[in-house]
Amino acid sequence: SQYLNNRDFFILCFLVFLSFLIRVLSLHFFHFIASGGGSADSVVYAITGKNLFSGKGFSYQATVQLVHPPIYPILIGFSWLLTNNLELSGQVVSAIAGVLLVIPVYYFAKAMYGRRVGLVSSIFVVICPVLVYGSTETFSESLYTLFLISSIALTWKALSSRNLLWISLAGLTVG
């Protein structure tokens, strides 16, 4: 059987689009930066990313940034090149990660329990308030969740298919 038929593909595309709309509306109507207890992590991620793409290296306050993982600041820095707004850059990266989370959740749930559970799980990701909130903050949790669920789904696929491509992709998402 085909892993993803045309009907499922269109439903999944619709859910990704709906997830995108919900997160864009959330970004527009709510202001969530640094709402996680006053943590400075969001500021460190954003400035580190900006410094990297401004030619100042992977640094924060003139010191090499060694505390936080690099992928989130790198993506923020790249987004900053396009938006020229640090806060929005972090939110865009988190929102995109939140939108893309629908895809691995669908595949993993479908592989384990069938099409219906895959669709219900994906719908949950689209509308879950905690996931929507998390994907509009300038924190790394949304991107981490995407990589975590993607690595689990790809590992499941790799173990069932024993295909080197799936094994490599699973390893890549784990880091």
Side-chain angles (χ1 to χ4, degrees), residues 101-106 108-109 125 143-155 173:
L101 181 62
V102 172
I103 298 167
V105 165
Y106 171 79
F108 184 54
V125 169
L143 186 63
Y144 170 77
T145 305
L146 173 65
F147 279 123
L148 175 66
I149 300 301
S150 296
S151 68
I152 293 169
L154 288 166
T155 300
T173 57

Side-chain angles (χ1 to χ4, degrees), residues 11-28:
I11 291 171
L12 191 56
C13 285
F14 173 74
L15 290 174
V16 167
F17 178 72
L18 185 60
S19 180
F20 174 76
L21 284 179
I22 289 171
R23 278 144 180 87
V24 167
L25 288 172
S26 184
L27 277 172
H28 179 73

Side-chain angles (χ1 to χ4, degrees), residues 70-164:
I71 190 70
Y72 191 59
I74 289 169
L75 293 174
I76 289 174
F78 180 73
S79 179
W80 172 75
L81 289 175
L82 303 173
T83 65
N84 205 30
N85 180 325
L86 271 180
E87 179 182 0
L88 179 62
S89 297
Q91 291 171 324
V92 164
V93 171
S94 293
I96 290 171
V99 168
L100 293 177
L101 181 62
V102 172
I103 298 167
V105 165
Y106 171 79
Y107 280 120
F108 184 54
K110 180 182 176 186
M112 287 189 68
Y113 301 108
R115 180 181 174 272
R116 180 175 290 174
V117 173
L119 291 173
V120 169
S121 300
S122 296
I123 291 168
F124 177 76
V125 169
V126 170
I127 63 172
C128 177
V130 173
L131 293 174
V132 172
Y133 166 81
S135 63
T136 56
E137 284 188 317
T138 306
F139 288 133
S140 62
E141 281 76 4
S142 185
L143 186 63
Y144 170 77
T145 305
L146 173 65
F147 279 123
L148 175 66
I149 300 301
S150 296
S151 68
I152 293 169
L154 288 166
T155 300
W156 184 271
K157 179 68 176 169
L159 291 173
S160 65
S161 71
R162 300 189 192 277
N163 183 319
L164 187 59

